[in-house]
Amino acid sequence: MNEPRFLPVVPTDHPPACAASLVHDFTPELISVGAHQLCPGCGEPMAIRAVAEAVAELGLTRSCIAVFGIGCSTAFSNNLDIEVVQALHGRAPSVATGITRMRPDVTALTVQGDGDMVNEGLQEVLHAAARGERITCFMLNNGVFGETGGQMTATTVLGQRTKNSPEGRDARHHGHPIRLADLVATLDGAVYVARGAVDTAVNVQRTKRMVLKALQAQKRGFALVEVLTMCPTGWAVDTTRSARYMADHHARIHSMGVLKDTGGGRSR
Amino acid sequence: MNEPRFLPVVPTDHPPACAASLVHDFTPELISVGAHQLCPGCGEPMAIRAVAEAVAELGLTRSCIAVFGIGCSTAFSNNLDIEVVQALHGRAPSVATGITRMRPDVTALTVQGDGDMVNEGLQEVLHAAARGERITCFMLNNGVFGETGGQMTATTVLGQRTKNSPEGRDARHHGHPIRLADLVATLDGAVYVARGAVDTAVNVQRTKRMVLKALQAQKRGFALVEVLTMCPTGWAVDTTRSARYMADHHARIHSMGVLKDTGGGRSR
Amino acid sequence: MSAGTLVIDTEACKGCELCVDACPPAVLVMTTDRVNARGYRHPELLPGCIACKACTAICPDFVFQVYRYHPSEEDTR
Amino acid sequence: MSAGTLVIDTEACKGCELCVDACPPAVLVMTTDRVNARGYRHPELLPGCIACKACTAICPDFVFQVYRYHPSEEDTR
Amino acid sequence: MERELLMTGIGGQGVQLAARLLAHALTAAGRGVQLFGSFGGMMRGGNTEATLIAADTAVESPPTVPLAWSAIVMHDAYADHVVPRLRPGGWLLVDSTVCRTPWRDGVAPGGVRRPDAAFDVLEVPATALARDLGSPAAATMVAIGAYARATDIVGADALAQALPEVLPPHRLEQATANMRALAAGYGAVPASSRPAWAEAPA
Amino acid sequence: MERELLMTGIGGQGVQLAARLLAHALTAAGRGVQLFGSFGGMMRGGNTEATLIAADTAVESPPTVPLAWSAIVMHDAYADHVVPRLRPGGWLLVDSTVCRTPWRDGVAPGGVRRPDAAFDVLEVPATALARDLGSPAAATMVAIGAYARATDIVGADALAQALPEVLPPHRLEQATANMRALAAGYGAVPASSRPAWAEAPA
Amino acid sequence: MSAPRFMAGSDALAAAMVAAGCRFFAGYPMTPFTGVLEAMAQRLPGAGGVCMNAESELEAIGMCWGAAAIGARAATGSTGQGLALMQESLAEMTSARLPLVVLNMARGQGDYFQTTRGGGHGDYRLPVLAPVDVSEAVTHVSLAFGWAEAWRTPVMLFGDYYLAHTHRSVSIPAPEEPVTPAWAVDGRSGGTGRARLISPLGTVKQRDGQGAQAGYDLAVHYRACADRTRAMLDGIAPRIEAETGGDTAVLVVAYGSPAAYVRAAVRELRAEGLPVGYARPVTLVPFPYGALARLARGCRAVAVYENNSGQAVDDVRLAVDGQVPVEFIGGLSMDPSGFGIAPDLDVTHLKERIMQLVGRVAAR
Amino acid sequence: MSAPRFMAGSDALAAAMVAAGCRFFAGYPMTPFTGVLEAMAQRLPGAGGVCMNAESELEAIGMCWGAAAIGARAATGSTGQGLALMQESLAEMTSARLPLVVLNMARGQGDYFQTTRGGGHGDYRLPVLAPVDVSEAVTHVSLAFGWAEAWRTPVMLFGDYYLAHTHRSVSIPAPEEPVTPAWAVDGRSGGTGRARLISPLGTVKQRDGQGAQAGYDLAVHYRACADRTRAMLDGIAPRIEAETGGDTAVLVVAYGSPAAYVRAAVRELRAEGLPVGYARPVTLVPFPYGALARLARGCRAVAVYENNSGQAVDDVRLAVDGQVPVEFIGGLSMDPSGFGIAPDLDVTHLKERIMQLVGRVAAR
Ligand SMILES: Cc1ncc(C[n+]2csc(CCOP(=O)(O)OP(=O)(O)O)c2C)c(N)n1
Ligand SMILES: Cc1ncc(C[n+]2csc(CCOP(=O)(O)OP(=O)(O)O)c2C)c(N)n1
Ligand code: SF4
Ligand code: SF4
Ligand code: SF4
Ligand code: SF4
Ligand code: SF4
Ligand code: SF4
Ligand SMILES: [Mg+2]
Ligand SMILES: [Mg+2]
C-alpha cells in the first residue's frame, strides 16, 4: 500500500475535462442531503440507497410512500425525496397497512432495523405477512440496537458480545437468534422473501436486485428483503474489519439468498 | 335411536352396588369445581382437563404453576387445585418466563386461546420459543375470540364466517390463517411442538399424550401443544355438529401431529 | 351383559350430546321428557356399557364417573 | 491508461476505508497527511480506475461520482 | 305514560333477542322505546337482563330504572336483582317450566326489598310449550307472545313483522319456528288481563 | 472553591471517556466531583458535552452550570453553546488541529454573549499529537493531559491510575496508547500556567 | 338527518361515523367496544371504506396512523386495557399531527384520568367528549371528526357499556363526503425536491443548520407541539349542560351516562322543591372550568358524582378554586361482570345521597 | 452504607437496586433508561439475580409480573414511550397486588401526568418518588422496594437524563437479603385444595355463591382494590423538602432534577435578601397537599417551575385551594436531542424569572 504512493494522484475535485459519462452519482437521486449523521462505515446508508435507487428505477418516485421505523436509519426519514411517514418503534408494518388499504395504487414500503422489526415489532411484520398486505418491508439487520448503543437484539448471533450480553450471547441465557426472513417465508401471505447484505460491492448489487424484485412482487402480496448491514460502532469493531466480521459471524446464521418467490419459483 | 328406548335404563345416580373399580372420575383431581360456566359443547374444558391430569400423573402437582391468558378458559383460572398466575391478554409467555427464570425448579406452563396467543400475544410466544425458555405453552385453538362473541382470529380458516368477517374469511381482505405450531417449530429454542384436538375421544387421548410429552420436554427447552377445540357458540354451529365442523374446516388447515421433537426425533 | 357402568351427575350436564356420539356401543341416549334444573336434557345409560371411558374423555362438563365391573362379578351378570 | 475517473467529495468522507477494500484495481488510497474539516482521512485516486462503481456501491457517505471515459477518448489516453 | 319491563334469564336463552323483538315492534307501533341489555361477563351462561321502557312519547329515563311495572323471569338464577324492583301494582310473568322459586308468595329467597308486597304472577310454561313445538330455545318467544297478549302493549302483527328485522342472518331459518312460538305464547294466556295502555298511541 | 470545566466535541472523539478519567482522578485525589455528560440524540456524530465540577468539599451545584472557569473544545461544531459560558477570567483549551474558529479573538461566529471579553486561549494540537503517536482517537487524552499540566488540578499519577477504572473491558488494550497520549499532552504545555487550586485538597 | 331508526348504541355510533365520512376503522374486540367494531365491519365496506380486524390494539392504532396520514377519516377504539396499549401511539399522533377519532368505551368511569390526562409521553392533551346518551353521542361523532381534522389530533369520545347497549330511536346526520386534507401524503410529491413528510419527530426536511445535517431538531418541534396544544385548548369552546335556578344551594356535577341518572334525580328533587341544580361537563378536555366556576358561585356546596374513587372531582376543585366546598358523593360501583354496570346508578339511591348532602349543608 | 464511590447515576441506581434486594430486572433500551439496563446486566448475575434483555417493553413488564408473583424483588423501567406501552400491565398489577419498582427515566417533565395519573385502566394510583439527585435517588430505591412490598403495588421512581448521566460519589446502602413474601406462589400449594392464585381479576377461588360457579366476582374485587388504594394513599406519609423563612412572600415549587436548579436559584436570592422560599414535593403520589398548603399560608404567591406546559401546577392548585394565587413560571424547554436536556435549567435564568415574579407581586 506504500508503493502506489509514488504514482501521481489523479485530481478528483472536479469532473473530468475530456468526454466522459457519469455512470454513478455520489448522491442518489432521491436522497436530498449528503451529510447524514450515521457513523463511519455504517452499512445502513448503502441499503437505503439501494431502496431509493430501486424506487426511482421502477418509476415509483411519484407513487411511493416509505414508512420508517425508529433506529439509526430514522436519520434518513427527513432526508429523502420520497414521501415518508415516520412510524413509532416497531409499528411500521401496520402503518404501511393503513396506507395501502386506503390507497392500493401507492407503493408502500417500510425501512426498519432488526431491533425495530424483530424485537419490538415482530408481531406486526408477521401479521402483515400473514395478511398478505401489499407492502414491502426492508429490514436493516445489524444484530444490535445501533441507535441506543449496541445492545443485543433478537437477531444477534450466538457468542456475540454486546453492551448487555457482556460475556457474549449464550443460548442458555439469551436464547437463539431469530432468522426473520426464514420465518416470514413460511407464511402464506408472503410472496417474495430474500436476504441480502452490503458487506461487499458485489453483495450491494445483488441486494439491489432483490429490492427491485420485492417492489415488483408487492403487487401480489407481502414482500420482505432483509439486508445485513455493518455496525462498527455497535459491534466495537474497526470499520476496516467490520465487513469481515459480518461475514464471519452474522452472515453465517443469517444466510443470504432468495427464500421465497412465488412469482419466479424458489431459487437461491 | 328410538329403538334402544325399549331397553331398560340403567340407574346411574349412585355407584354400582356390586364390585367395580372407578376407572375415570367425572371431576379431574385438580379441578376443584364442577360447575364451570363455559358453553354446552365447548372444547376447552377437555383440553384443560388433559393438562390437569398430566400434571397430576407426572407428579408435578406440588411444583407447578399455570399461567392463564384471557379468554373463555380464564373461567378456570380460579378453579384449579394447581397454583395459578393469571396474566393479561397475550402476555402469558413472558409471565411464565419471569417465573421459570427465578424458579427453574418449578414447571411453568401457560393456557391461552388462539386470540390470546396468535393475535394479541404472537410476539410473546415466538420470542419465548426463540429464547428456549423452559416453559410449556398450551394453546386452545378454536379459531375465534370465543369470550367476546365469536370474531375472527389470526387462525380462522379461509371461508369461515365470523361476527366481523360476515361474508367469511377472504384471503384478499383478511389474509391467511397462521399455523402457529408450524411457525414455532421452525425456531431453534423449541424442543417439542405438537398439535392435538378434542373433537373425538380418540383425539382427546392422543392430545393427552402430547401434553405429557411436552411437560417432560420442557426441561430441555420450549414446548408447545396446540389443541383444536370446538366453539359451537362462536361458530354458531349446533353442539352436535361442531366436532364434524371442526374436522372439516379448522383441522384441514391446522393439521394434527407432532411437528418437532428434538428428544425423540421427528415423527407424526 | 355390561362390562361397566356409569354415575351421571345429571345436574352438571349442559345437554351438548357429545357423549352420545362418542359412545362406541351407543348406549347413551338423551332424555326427551326430562330436563335438569338448568333446563338441559341429559344422557341416560342403556345396558351394554363397555367402560371404555370415551364419554368422560369427551364430556366438557365432567358429568361422568366410569366403573368397570370386576371380572368375577362380570360373569354373574 | 484509465477507463474512468472519480469526483471525490472529500468533505463528506468519514474515513471508513470501505472503498479502499472494495476497489478491484486497488487504486484508492487513504491520505496519511491530510484530514477534512471533520478530521477524517479520505481516499485519493491513483491512475487505473476501471469505472466499476464498486466504490460508490460501498461508500456509506455518498462520496463518489464515477465517470467512464468515452471509448474514443479512451484511446487517446 | 311509561311502561317498564325487566326481563331476566341466563345466557343462551335468547332474552336479548326477545327484548329486541318487542322493542322493534313497539317502535313500529309508534311508541317511544328505550332498551338496555346487559349480558355476559367473565363467564358464559351468566346473567342476562334487559330493561325495556315504552312510552306514549319519547323516553326520557336513564337506561335502567329503580322500579318497574312488569317483569319476565325466564330463569330464577338472577331474578333476585329483578323481582324486588317491581312497583307496587307491578306484575311478573314467569316461565313456570324452569322457575322453581315460589315468586307467587311475593317473597324472594335472597331477601326482597318489600317482602310484604304481593306480586301478581302470570305463570306460563314457556319452555314446555316451546319444547312441544320442537324448538326449546324459543321459550323466550313464547313468553313475549304471552306478554303481548296479556298487556296489549303491542299487537301480534307488529311482533310478527319485527321478527325478520331482529334475527341475525344466520338465524333467519329459525323465523318460522319463532313465529310459531310467539303464537303459542299468544294463545296460552287470556287477553288483556294487564293492559299496558289506557288508549292507542298518539 | 469550585472549578468548572466544560468539555465539548462531536460523538466518537471520546469526550465522555476523557471527562470521566479526569473526574475519577480528581475523586481519588480527594476532591468533591460532579460530572454531567450529555451526548447522542436522534443522530450520531452529534453534540457531546461534559460539565465537570471539582471542589475542595462536596459539590452542591446542579448538574449543569451557567458559568464556568474553563473549557476544552475538541471540535467547534457545538462550541457556540460552550464558549459564551466562560466566566470573566475563564479560559479555553482548544484542539488547534481540528478547530478552525478563531476563538482566540474572543468572538464566536454564532454570537457570543460577551463579545468584548477576551478569552485566554491555550492552543494544543491535540489531534496532530495523537496522530503522531499512531492513535488519532486519543486526542482527548492529549487534551486532558495538557489541561492537567496547565492547571495542576490533579497530578499525572492520579490520571494514570484512574485510566483502567474508566476504560471499558473491550478497550483495555488501548490503555498504553492512552497513557502515552496523556503524557504527550502533559509535555505539550508549560506547567501551572492557570492553577486551579490555591492549595492542596483538605 | 335521517328518519329516526331504532338502533343499539354501538350501531348508532357506527352509523354516525360512516355519515361523518369515516372511511377507515380498525379495532380489536373488547366488551363493550366490540359492538362498534362489528357494526363497522357490517357498515363500512358498503360505504366504500375499510374495516380492519386488527390483530391487536397496537396494530389497530398503527393502521389508523397510516390511514390518517393518507388523509382518510379514521377511527378506532377500545376499552380501558386496550386503550392503555394505545397510549404511546395516541400521544405521538399529536406530535405527528394526525387526526383520529377514538371511541373509549370504558368500563365504569375509573378511566377518567386515563382519558383526560393520558398515559403517553409528553405535553399533550386530547380533546374528550363525554356524551350522556346515544342521541348526543351521534352528534358528538361529527364534532369529534371536525375537531380531529381542525386541530390535527386524536379526539376521544368517552362512552361506556350503557352507551353501547342502549337501544333507542336515533336520527343519523346527513352523510358528509370526506375531503382529503391538503397536508396528507399520497405518494405523489416524491422527486419534486419537496416530498412530504409526516413524522412525530417534526416535519422539517433537511435541517439547514450547521453543516446541513440530516435529522430532526426536537427542541423546535416539541415547542411547536406545546404551542399547538395550548392553542387547541384555548380554541375549543368547552361545553357544559346545566339545570339550575337562582335558588340552587347544592350543585351536583356528573358526566357521561351516570349524568343521565343524576339529572333525573335532580329533576325529581327540584320538582319536589329542593334547592338543587345539576351541571354536566360535556367536554372533559377542555374542561369547562370557567362555566363551572360561574355556576358554583352562590352555591353552598358543589357535589360530584362519578363512578370511581374520585378523579373528575379534581377538575371540579380546580374550577371552583376553593370558593365553594366541593364534596365527592360518588364512588366505585360495579356489578360482578366488571363491565361497568353500576348498581349505584339508581335514581332513588342518588336522590337519597343528594338529599343527605342538602341536609348536611343546611345544618352548617 | 458502602464507602462512597464515584459512579454514574444509572450505575448508582443499579447498585442501589441490587443492595435493596432486587434480583430480577427486565428492560428494553431507551435513552436515558439504557444505562440502568446495562448496569443491571453487569451487576445482577454476580448477585445471584437475573437480568433479562426483554424483546420489548411489553415483554419486560410481563416477565416482571411473573418474577414478582414468585416473590422476587423485581424492577423494570423505561422512558415515556416505553412506559406508555407498560400502562396496561402497571395498572393491572395493582389489581393483582404485585410489587414492582419502575424506573421512569423521563425525557423532561412532560410525563408528570403519565407518571402520577397513569394511562391504565381503573381506579388505581401508583406511589411516585421524584429524587432531586443521585444521592437521594439511591435512598429512594430502598424506599420504593419497601413500599412496593408493603402495599403490594408498583412504585415509580421518576428520574431523567440528569439523574442517569450525573456522576457523583455515592454511598450505597448496606445490602438487604430479600425475604420471599408469604403470599408468593412457588408451585408447592397445588393439590392441597387451597392452591394459590394471583390474578388481576381477584383471588377468591371457587366462588361459593349461587350454584358454586367458577369465575370471578369483579364487583367485590374492584371495590377491594379501590379500598386498598385509598388505604395506601392515606398510609404513605407524603414527603416534601422546603427552605423558607418567616418572610417568604413567594414560594417556588419544583420537583425532580429541575428542583436542584430552583433550589440553587432560591438560595442565591435568599442570600441576596429576597423574600423567596422553595418547596419540593419529594413524593408526587401521594402529593404533599397538606404540607404545601401550610407552607403557602401567608405567602403572596406560589410559583411553580416545571419543564412542561403545566401539569404538577394542577396539584399545587389543588393543595393551595384558592388561598394564594398560583403562578406557573415553567414551560417546555428542550435541546435538539429530545432527551430532556433543558436550556432553561440555568440558575441565572431561573433567578431572573423568580425575580420578575417577586417584582410583580410587590407591585400588586
Ligand atoms: C417503544 C420504544 N422503545 C424503545 C425505543 C428506543 N430505541 C430507539 S432506536 C432503538 C434501537 C433501534 O435498533 P434497530 O431497530 O436495530 O436499528 P439500528 O439502530 O440498529 O439501526 C431503540 C431501542 C423507542 N424509540 N421506542
Ligand atoms: C388487551 C385486551 N384486549 C382485548 C381484550 C378482550 N378480550 C377478552 S377475551 C378475548 C378473546 C379471547 O379469545 P381467545 O384467546 O381465542 O380465547 P377464547 O375466548 O376463544 O377461548 C378478548 C379479545 C382484553 N381482555 N384485553
Ligand atoms: S450505531 Fe451502527 S447502525 Fe447506527 S449509525 Fe453507527 S454504525 Fe450505523
Ligand atoms: S364461546 Fe366458545 S370457547 Fe367460549 S365457552 Fe362458549 S363454546 Fe367455549
Ligand atoms: S357430553 Fe356431558 S354435558 Fe354433553 S350431553 Fe353428554 S353428559 Fe351432558
Ligand atoms: S364408558 Fe364407553 S361404553 Fe360406557 S357409556 Fe361411556 S362411552 Fe359408552
Ligand atoms: S467509503 Fe466513503 S466514507 Fe468510507 S473512506 Fe471511502 S470515501 Fe470515505
Ligand atoms: S470505480 Fe471501481 S476502479 Fe474506480 S475507484 Fe471506484 S472501485 Fe476503484
Ligand atoms: Mg439494528
Ligand atoms: Mg379462541
Side-chain angles (χ1 to χ4, degrees), chain C residues 1 5 8 10-11 13-14 18 27-30 32 34 36 43 46 55 58 62-63 65 69 71 73-74 76:
Chain C
M1 185 180 117
T5 190
I8 304 181
T10 54
E11 287 305 307
C13 174
K14 296 201 188 109
L18 295 185
V27 292
L28 289 171
V29 291
M30 297 303 284
T32 49
R34 265 165 309 130
N36 64 15
L46 304 181
C55 51
I58 206 75
F62 316 143
V63 166
Q65 265 176 332
Y69 290 114
E73 319 285 324
E74 199 174 358
T76 71

Side-chain angles (χ1 to χ4, degrees), chain B residues 69-153:
Chain B
I70 299 275
C72 289
S73 59
T74 301
F76 276 90
S77 80
N78 71 350
N79 196 23
L80 299 182
D81 201 13
I82 297 174
E83 282 191 2
V84 168
V85 175
Q86 175 64 50
L88 297 182
H89 195 48
R91 312 288 153 224
S94 293
V95 173
T97 297
I99 290 172
T100 197
R101 289 292 179 132
M102 290 310 289
R103 281 215 169 251
D105 52 314
V106 162
T107 296
L109 61 90
T110 76
V111 178
Q112 308 174 251
D114 52 322
D116 190 287
M117 186 184 282
V118 196
N119 281 56
E120 187 86 43
L122 179 60
Q123 171 156 330
E124 303 254 335
V125 70
L126 294 180
H127 280 147
R131 285 197 310 269
E133 290 304 338
R134 272 96 181 123
I135 61 175
T136 305
C137 292
F138 296 103
M139 197 253 279
L140 314 182
N141 185 355
N142 55 16
V144 285
F145 299 114
E147 169 80 26
T148 54
Q151 299 82 7
M152 195 185 88
T153 69

Side-chain angles (χ1 to χ4, degrees), chain G residues 322-344:
Chain G
Q323 303 314 302
V324 179
V326 175
E327 302 231 11
F328 183 64
I329 61 164
L332 190 72
S333 174
M334 276 278 167
D335 82 341
S337 73
F339 289 159
I341 304 161
D344 274 0

Side-chain angles (χ1 to χ4, degrees), chain E residues 16 20 23-24 27 31 33-43 47 58-67 81 85 113 165 169, chain G residues 5-8 31 42 107 161-163 165-169 257 260-261 263-264 267 335-339 341-342 345-349:
Chain E
Q16 299 301 327
R20 233 156 34 229
H24 276 258
T27 306
R31 300 285 171 190
V33 183
Q34 179 174 279
L35 170 66
F36 173 70
S38 77
F39 46 90
M42 284 304 299
M43 32 182 185
N47 191 3
V59 176
E60 293 265 292
S61 304
T64 55
V65 292
L67 296 173
H81 306 309
R85 283 196 274 147
R113 256 205 239 156
E165 278 182 45
Chain G
R5 271 201 53 205
F6 190 76
M7 305 165 106
T31 311
Q42 294 275 1
R107 297 181 179 175
Y161 194 95
Y162 292 99
L163 181 60
H165 285 239
T166 303
H167 300 57
R168 293 180 64 114
S169 282
S257 296
Y261 294 82
R263 183 173 58 190
R267 280 181 188 166
D335 82 341
S337 73
F339 289 159
I341 304 161
L345 290 188
D346 176 310
V347 173
T348 315
H349 282 192

Side-chain angles (χ1 to χ4, degrees), chain H residues 33 96 102 109 121 128 140 186 192 217 232 258 267 270 298 329:
Chain H
F33 164 71
V102 183
Q109 298 190 297
H121 163 66
V128 180
H140 282 183
D186 57 6
T192 61
D217 186 330
M232 178 185 77
R267 280 182 189 166
R270 285 176 67 81
I329 61 165

Side-chain angles (χ1 to χ4, degrees), chain B residues 55-67:
Chain B
V55 165
E57 287 169 28
L58 294 172
L60 300 173
T61 308
R62 295 296 184 102
S63 61
C64 171
I65 299 179
V67 180

